[in-house]
Amino acid sequence: MDRFHELKAFVAVVEAGGFSAAARRMGESQSAISKAVGSLEKRLGVALFIRSTRNVNLTDQGQRYYDRTKPLVAELDEVDGEMTRTTVDVSGLVRIASASTFGRLHVLPLLPELLARHPGLKVDLILSDFARDMVDDRIDLAIRVGAVSEPDAVVRRVAGTPLVCVGSRHYFEKHGLPKTPGDLVHHNCLLYGGLAESANWPFVAPEGRFSVAVRGNFSSNSVDAIRTAVLAGVGIGMFAGLSLVDELSHPDVVTILDDFIVDVRDVSLIWPKRRFIPARVRQVTEFFAEALPKRI
């Protein structure tokens, strides 16, 4: 008997709650479904269900088998569905994860064009300054700024953005303008990360690369909060340049120490580790791979 048919019959019984309901779902006879599941149990050498006259319940082995095989059946169904559709018919849900500030400034403005190109597409945009677990959170595509620490993920770098160190004109009028990175130890530096007491900011000099341990009276896990505090004259911040699209042209914002900063942060598109990537996810990835570099 076809092993995939056995597997689909098993999943159908679990999800439909019984053999009769599974047979109706699959358009087959109840005896055919029962035979397929029985063949599967014989091949595996375990009982997958506890059967009674009224109920069909999974055994412990059956539950484990279902948890492992359900994603495989879903992916195979997805592949079958793609093969029956044209490549231009991009439809369905795509869950996209992005850092909050980057998503607001660079992803959201592109969504109207993406959805206009593919009317059947649905986008669930998850904005968070913490890297989400792509598998556990069922994320199809992540857009990240900076290093990616997922060795098994598929990572596609699409752009780069330089680091910039900035403060407000009001702050520098009160506290002076740092001339060298070492001067930062005498300034109020605003720290990204939340609950941070200090941070090492990277710089370069003719002698090579070095870092300066900076401190301040305000830290946050939100880039937007640090940006707002800088504009309010609270202190100095270091950002990826793409986070300051409007601020860098603001008359009250001053960039400092440009000659000492050479670091660039990558902008990457990331797929989770899986055997099959749906066409809609590939199409959305290609869209952002083309559109994001034009904005950054």
Side-chain angles (χ1 to χ4, degrees):
M1 182 172 287
D2 177 42
R3 293 177 64 178
F4 183 52
H5 180 261
E6 294 174 356
L7 191 55
K8 291 196 72 171
F10 165 70
V11 171
V13 172
V14 175
E15 296 182 345
F19 285 84
S20 297
R24 290 192 295 271
R25 173 184 287 193
M26 294 186 66
E28 300 183 20
S29 67
Q30 181 176 340
S31 62
I33 299 301
S34 180
K35 183 179 179 181
V37 172
S39 177
L40 176 62
E41 289 179 314
K42 182 178 179 180
R43 181 166 56 81
L44 295 175
V46 298
L48 299 174
F49 294 105
I50 301 172
R51 299 164 174 84
S52 69
T53 55
R54 292 188 176 184
N55 297 308
V56 175
N57 297 307
L58 284 168
T59 63
D60 290 342
Q61 295 96 328
Q63 184 65 59
R64 290 197 298 271
Y65 193 67
Y66 174 75
D67 291 340
R68 293 293 300 273
T69 57
K70 171 57 180 173
L72 299 177
V73 173
E75 283 202 0
L76 286 169
D77 286 340
E78 182 81 44
V79 174
D80 287 348
E82 278 201 15
M83 294 302 101
T84 61
R85 296 191 297 265
T86 64
T87 57
V88 296
D89 179 22
V90 177
S91 61
L93 175 67
V94 176
R95 289 170 60 84
I96 302 172
S98 170
S100 299
T101 301
F102 182 85
R104 179 176 60 80
L105 293 175
H106 301 288
V107 179
L108 274 173
L110 294 173
L111 289 184
E113 181 183 351
L114 173 65
L115 295 172
R117 286 191 190 183
H118 306 293
L121 194 67
K122 295 181 180 179
V123 172
D124 181 13
L125 180 61
I126 303 161
L127 299 181
S128 172
D129 285 331
F130 292 100
R132 306 290 291 265
D133 186 293
M134 299 186 69
V135 175
D136 288 349
D137 292 340
R138 296 178 291 111
I139 292 168
D140 297 301
L141 175 67
I143 307 174
R144 293 186 186 161
V145 180
V148 178
S149 58
E150 297 183 38
D152 293 328
V154 180
V155 181
R156 180 175 177 181
R157 182 188 181 277
V158 295
T161 179
L163 289 181
V164 289
C165 197
V166 302
S168 73
R169 197 171 301 279
H170 174 67
Y171 173 86
F172 292 129
E173 286 174 353
K174 287 184 63 177
H175 302 284
L177 196 70
K179 302 296 185 182
T180 69
D183 294 339
L184 291 174
V185 299
H186 305 298
H187 285 267
N188 195 38
C189 296
L190 312 184
L191 310 180
Y192 173 74
L195 301 178
E197 296 183 359
S198 66
N200 292 313
W201 286 0
F203 297 98
V204 67
E207 298 80 19
R209 301 176 65 87
F210 66 100
S211 62
V212 174
V214 298
R215 296 177 180 273
N217 62 7
F218 178 70
S219 64
S220 176
N221 64 349
S222 166
V223 174
D224 274 337
I226 302 296
R227 291 165 66 248
T228 300
V230 166
L231 285 173
V234 175
I236 299 170
M238 182 170 281
F239 304 87
L242 53 73
S243 298
L244 302 174
V245 173
D246 299 322
E247 287 78 0
L248 290 177
S249 59
H250 196 288
D252 290 335
V253 173
V254 179
T255 63
I256 61 172
L257 306 174
D258 293 347
D259 292 339
F260 297 93
I261 302 175
V262 297
D263 278 15
V264 173
R265 295 290 183 262
D266 289 342
V267 178
S268 302
L269 306 178
I270 305 167
W271 291 344
K273 180 185 178 182
R274 59 171 63 159
R275 295 180 178 86
F276 172 71
I277 302 297
R280 62 181 179 273
V281 177
R282 292 197 298 269
Q283 290 286 337
V284 170
T285 301
E286 290 302 322
F287 171 81
F288 283 112
E290 177 184 354
L292 283 174
K294 297 176 182 178
R295 295 184 58 88
I296 299 170

